[in-house]
Every structure is written in C-alpha cells, then in structure tokens.
Amino acid sequence: MTHPYAPFIARRQRLLDHIQQTGGGVAIIPTAPEVVRNRDAHFPFRPDSYFHYLTGFPEPEAVLVLVGGDNPRSILFCREKNEEREIWDGYRWGPEAATAQFGVNEAHAIAYFDEKIVELLADQPTIHFAMGHDAAWDKRIIDALGRVREKTRAGITAPGAIADIHAVLDEMRLIKDDFEQNIMRKAAQISAGAHRRAMRASAPDRFEYEIEAELLHAFRSAGSPFPAYSSIVASGPNACVLHYVTNDRRMRDGELLLIDAGCELDGYASDITRTFPVNGTFSGAQRDIYNLVLDAQRAAAEATRPGALWNDPHDAAVAVLAQGMVDLGLLKGSVDEVIEKGDYRRFYMHRTGHWLGMDVHDAGEYKVHGDWRELEPGMVLTIEPGCYIRPADDVPEAFWNIGVRIEDDALVTPEGCELITADAPKTIDDIEALMRDTA
Ligand code: GLY
Ligand code: MN
Ligand code: MN
C-alpha cells in the first residue's frame, strides 16, 4: 500500500537528491509562525507553503531538516504531546506519531531544535536555507553556525556556505504533480460554484458584502478553510479599482459587478474573476467591452501551450484589446502605435497572468537567463485580461465606469491548456441565462 503522504515523501527525496548532487549539506525549512491579531486573538494559522509542500504537516512550531552526506535522512521537529494544551487548543501529533504519519525518518521535540541542529551541521559543507525572509530565523541559523564554529578546536568543520533553498524548491513547485493537479481542479470547481452562486444572488440594491457572504458560504460549505486572497466584490465604479476589497457599497441597477475571488483548498489557491450585470442583462456599451475582453482572453488561452513563451498569452491579449480600443473610439492612432507606445495601458494596466499554486502569485521565475520562460505541461497560470475605463472628457460617456476582467486558471497540458475554472459561466448568453433562471 502506498503511504498516504507519498507525494510529500517523493518531494523530500527529490530535494535530498539535489542536495547530494550539489555537494551535500543540511536543508532547514521552518513553517510559518503564529501571528497575533490583537491581544489574545491570532490570525488563522496557515503553514508556510514550502514547508507544507515538503511535509503536509499542519501544526505551527515545526521545522523540517534534511540531512545529506553519508547518512541521508529527513527529520521533523514538532511540538511534544501536551495534555493540558490539547484540552485548550486541540490535538498535537507529537514526534512519535508524526514520524509514522508523515513518513519522516526521525522526529524530535521542537524544544531540542537549537541544540540538535548544531550536531547536525557538524562537518557538513553547506546550509540550504532561505536567508532574508524572516529576521528571527536568519538570526537563529547564524547563531547555530556560530556554535558549530566554536567546536572547530575539537576538530569539527563548520559549513562554509549558505545556499538559497527557495531557488530549487521554486523550480520544483512550478511543475504541479498529479496530486497537486487534482487538488487544484477541486479548488477551481468550488470557486466556480461560488461564482455561480454569486451571480444568482446579485440584484440591484443589494450590498457588495452580501455577495461576498455568498462566496464565503460556498467556499466554507465545500470544505475550504478560507479564501486564497481577499475577495474583490466591486460594483459600478469600484470595478475600476484593481485591488478594491472594501466590499461595502450598495449595487445599483444598470451597473456591472466584478468579482475576483477564489478559495484555498489543501494549501492550494484558485483565482477566478467574473464580471456580470447586477440586474442580469448587459447594456450595449457593457456588451462591447465585455466581448472585447472575452475575445482577448480566448486569444490568450489559445497562446497557452507547451513551447509558447511566458509572454505570448499577454501579447495575444494586448493585440486584441488594442484593436478593440481603437475600433470603439477609446484610443486614437494605429493599432501598432497603440501597442508600441503602450497607450493601451491607460485601460489595461496589469499583466495577463501569473503562476498559480500554493501561493496565489505562485513561486517560479518568469524569465530564464534573461528570456521569457517556455511553458511546459504541469505549469498552472492565470489568464486574466481586463479593461477599466474611468470617466474622462476624451472617452465616450457610455463607457464610463465600466470595468471588466475575466480570469481563468489554466493547467498547461501536452496539447495546449485545460481551463480548470471553466465551470464559471463567461459568455454573455450563459451568464444572462443563469441569472434569468434564478430571477
Ligand atoms: N486575485 C489576485 C490576482 O488576480 O492576481
Ligand atoms: Mn490572478
Ligand atoms: Mn484574481
């Protein structure tokens, strides 16, 4: 029978193989700290993404150590069992049960970490660690190194280098394995259902936060612990505020509602934007802009396939948007000029996508040796063109305050890409039909 944490064990082995192939050493990967919100209340705990990727271990106060060299092994440091604390705060695995459950070679109480790490670093060439991300951890590692150096008179050699462990983990995280793809498909489906629920619930005079509540209901009742990022529920002019999260305005008849919201599931994000009329029917000018953005999104999705460069979907979307902006009288000049001079950025000021995974803006470089990266099967990215038109004297009034974004999550496949968020309707006909059926 395969171990229930087999994907995590396989990732640790890959990382250990990398460490061995690059001269050995010890990798140290702590999880995230618990963060106080105010007085005795904490923010919801979420494990560090790198730590989760390698362990699946859900508790705070834990560190993974991978030891290279002659006796390669994985060691988890975690909280000890504690009946008193478990009565107040809930179950703790403890080192003994954690060893079997999470498939590590050893586990120890976190209280011994500072002492044990000095032993583990002795005679090792390199510390593989993400320096510069957490000042307290940087200090802890440097202090440990100092204590190993104190032993040099006893004939022990201290590590001579600190290597950035994120670089290798980012490359691994960029290609999602089957286990990750399945989670991401589920997260995408829950979020698509949430957007359908939001469309059904929308009506003039309701508040944006009422619609946000529908999204949260859909996420939580499907088992998602929380949204992957702050939900944007932006009606009317708010749709032109890219990071609007206040969500407290009363929605008016005749306006559009832009919702950018996705749940997190088992540590993985989904990220969907849909834009639809509050009253269920697109007006003429809204249709023009909406269909333009939809065409741009289709063009970008067509350009998303193995061998394409990272920027190809963006270039495809910009070509369609620039043409449409000229055709609709939003911009003057030739399409080539509008693209070359960047005039389209007045109405389309962000990029067409980002990597998606455990982090909504996920790990992974976009360029390799100065060139845009080639897409490969297993990569997941968003495709999210938009058009945002603020009132201005040189813009036809019919377009004022129209903000549209359409965002799907794309898994690159051997043939092209799979839009894993496709269950959220996005053609005008499909959106109007869904909203009519529930009116
Ligand atoms: N929701 C964040 C983004 O779309 O990038
Ligand atoms: Mn996005
Ligand atoms: Mn988004």
Side-chain angles (χ1 to χ4, degrees):
M1 206 186 77
T2 49
H3 192 280
Y5 282 75
F8 299 90
I9 295 170
R11 292 175 201 150
R12 288 199 295 271
Q13 190 58 52
R14 275 186 68 195
L15 180 57
L16 200 46
D17 289 348
H18 166 86
I19 289 169
Q20 299 289 51
Q21 284 156 15
T22 53
V26 173
I28 304 170
I29 303 108
T31 196
E34 286 184 289
V35 181
V36 172
R37 182 175 180 275
N38 53 329
R39 209 168 291 249
D40 290 337
H42 286 76
F43 284 106
F45 175 72
R46 181 187 184 276
D48 172 78
S49 294
Y50 295 96
F51 178 86
H52 174 78
Y53 182 71
L54 293 168
T55 65
F57 188 71
E59 296 177 22
E61 296 183 77
V63 184
L64 175 70
V65 178
L66 297 185
V67 183
D70 298 339
N71 180 17
R73 62 205 193 279
S74 57
I75 306 174
L76 179 70
F77 289 86
C78 64
R79 300 182 303 195
E80 281 185 286
K81 297 291 289 175
N82 180 328
E83 195 179 346
E84 167 77 5
R85 287 317 322 160
E86 291 185 57
I87 287 169
W88 285 88
D89 300 329
Y91 184 76
R92 297 179 174 198
W93 281 96
E96 198 179 330
T99 307
Q101 176 71 18
F102 298 92
V104 288
N105 300 115
E106 292 173 28
H108 302 285
I110 187 72
Y112 298 122
F113 174 82
D114 292 308
E115 182 185 322
K116 287 242 177 233
I117 197 68
V118 175
E119 292 165 25
L120 294 169
L121 289 174
D123 295 326
Q124 289 281 358
T126 305
I127 303 175
H128 299 264
F129 178 73
M131 216 23 118
H133 293 271
D134 179 302
W137 264 103
D138 291 353
K139 181 170 185 318
R140 210 160 165 185
I141 297 298
I142 290 166
D143 287 351
L145 182 57
R147 290 201 304 283
V148 185
R149 284 181 182 149
E150 283 166 12
K151 297 189 173 191
T152 50
R153 277 189 301 282
I156 282 171
T157 311
I162 299 179
D164 177 27
I165 201 172
H166 279 184
V168 54
L169 286 172
D170 287 352
E171 286 299 301
M172 287 171 64
R173 285 176 53 183
L174 194 50
I175 309 288
K176 275 66 182 175
D177 58 37
D178 290 347
F179 184 79
E180 294 178 291
Q181 291 178 22
N182 285 335
I183 297 171
M184 292 191 75
R185 279 197 192 88
K186 273 193 222 152
Q189 270 158 18
I190 294 169
S191 296
H195 279 260
R196 291 197 302 271
R197 188 180 172 101
M199 286 177 190
R200 287 193 204 100
S202 288
D205 297 329
R206 298 200 76 186
F207 282 91
E208 293 164 344
Y209 52 70
E210 293 181 77
I211 308 305
E212 183 182 7
E214 300 291 337
L215 297 164
L216 290 171
H217 178 102
F219 293 166
R220 203 67 192 99
S221 59
S224 155
F226 28 60
Y229 54 92
S230 301
S231 304
I232 296 170
V233 183
S235 63
N238 291 338
C240 297
V241 180
L242 295 178
H243 291 159
Y244 175 80
V245 290
T246 322
N247 303 349
D248 63 355
R249 179 176 175 276
R250 194 191 282 276
M251 310 188 294
R252 302 292 179 189
D253 200 16
E255 293 176 344
L256 289 176
L257 179 61
L258 183 156
I259 297 180
D260 185 345
C263 72
E264 180 170 309
L265 187 72
D266 296 343
Y268 286 79
S270 52
D271 184 7
I272 304 183
T273 308
R274 289 293 183 265
T275 310
F276 55 90
V278 166
N279 65 14
T281 307
F282 285 87
S283 75
Q286 290 169 352
R287 297 180 90 85
D288 289 341
I289 301 299
Y290 189 88
N291 279 328
L292 173 60
V293 176
L294 188 57
D295 286 347
Q297 210 228 14
R298 285 205 188 102
E302 286 278 308
T304 303
R305 56 187 139 71
L309 299 182
W310 165 260
N311 217 39
D312 289 349
H314 180 66
D315 287 342
V318 165
V320 172
L321 288 168
Q323 178 74 57
M325 289 171 192
V326 170
D327 291 349
L328 292 170
L330 290 166
L331 291 176
K332 299 199 177 21
S334 74
V335 173
D336 286 346
E337 257 171 31
V338 159
I339 294 173
E340 256 163 51
K341 288 204 259 159
D343 291 349
Y344 67 87
R345 290 202 193 101
R346 177 171 172 198
F347 304 111
Y348 180 44
M349 57 296 277
H350 60 77
R351 298 195 55 82
T352 302
H354 50 82
W355 304 126
L356 183 73
M358 280 184 285
D359 301 327
V360 65
H361 292 173
D362 204 33
E365 298 290 347
Y366 293 92
K367 283 191 172 180
V368 180
H369 305 308
D371 295 319
W372 293 114
R373 185 188 275 276
E374 268 189 32
L375 299 180
E376 294 172 42
M379 292 175 170
V380 180
L381 59 143
T382 66
I383 306 178
E384 49 177 308
C387 184
Y388 314 90
I389 309 171
R390 285 170 176 262
D393 289 344
D394 60 343
V395 169
E397 197 170 340
F399 296 123
W400 288 9
N401 292 322
I402 292 181
V404 173
R405 178 164 64 256
I406 305 171
E407 174 175 31
D408 280 300
D409 303 343
L411 166 65
V412 181
T413 61
E415 297 76 34
C417 73
E418 175 189 338
L419 296 185
I420 59 177
T421 43
D423 285 349
K426 67 179 176 191
T427 65
I428 286 186
D429 284 352
D430 286 350
I431 290 171
E432 290 188 345
L434 177 85
M435 295 183 75
R436 208 168 29 242
D437 287 351
T438 48

